[in-house]
Structures are given as C-alpha cells and as structure tokens.
Amino acid sequence: MARATKLITINTESGRDNGKVFLVTEPNAFIGEKLFNQAFSLCGEDVTPQSLMMKTTTKEGRELWESLLYLVKYVPNPNDISTARKIDQTGDDIEDISTVIRLRGEALSMIVNFTEE
C-alpha cells in the first residue's frame, strides 16, 4: 500500500500564496516513528503544531520543526501532480510565513494522527 498523501491548496484571499498547491507525504514507518517519538518527547500528549512551535527554542524542537518541511513538495502545475518537486526555500515557492507554518502543521499531522486511520 502506498504512503498517505494529502494535497493542500492555499486559499487566502489576500495572501501571495493563494492558489498554490502542495503535496504532503507521510514518511516511511521508521522515519515516522522517529519523528513521532521526538515530537512526543518534546510535547507530551499534546503534540500539535502550536505546542511544537513553542519548543523551537530548543535545539531538538527546532530540528524537528525544520525537518517537517521535507515531507512537503510544491506542485507548480496543479493539473499534473507528477510536477511535484522539493520546495525551493531560496525562491518564491512559498511567500507567506503562514503558509510555511500551515504546511509544517499538515506534515506533523501525517505523523501523529496515524492512529486515526
């Protein structure tokens, strides 16, 4: 069975990322377990994007927060998912801070919500 994926379309009327599409893919089981354990050890039972953001003041929290974006790809042509590619963090793939935070939250949910499947 394939790994779970989720297409995220940014819908903000005033945002620069409005209409952009991103693909979030769950990590393999071993990486997912490692990330889950890191998140759980940092946040306890309250593993949410908000609680993890509060832990970014620590080295471990910052590393985990940053690693979440590696589960996300930019889809420059929403009509062709095969165009999905690694996000260019030096370019204009993402222009709004709120988009970065949302995408990291979506990636985190792919890791911590596995029991809801």
Side-chain angles (χ1 to χ4, degrees), residues 8-21:
I8 306 294
T9 301
I10 305 301
N11 293 314
T12 56
E13 293 181 24
S14 61
R16 293 168 290 194
D17 292 328
N18 188 45
K20 290 183 181 180
V21 177

Side-chain angles (χ1 to χ4, degrees), residues 39-69:
F40 190 78
S41 71
L42 287 166
C43 302
E45 292 181 21
D46 182 35
V47 180
T48 63
Q50 295 81 9
S51 64
L52 185 56
M53 278 178 52
M54 300 299 287
K55 303 297 182 182
T56 60
T57 57
T58 68
K59 179 183 177 194
E60 296 83 7
R62 188 73 199 153
E63 287 174 356
L64 177 57
W65 186 248
E66 289 176 359
S67 71
L68 292 173
L69 211 53

Side-chain angles (χ1 to χ4, degrees), residues 88-101:
D88 178 2
Q89 294 186 26
T90 62
D92 293 331
D93 288 352
I94 300 174
E95 299 179 74
D96 294 324
I97 294 170
S98 61
T99 301
V100 177
I101 293 170

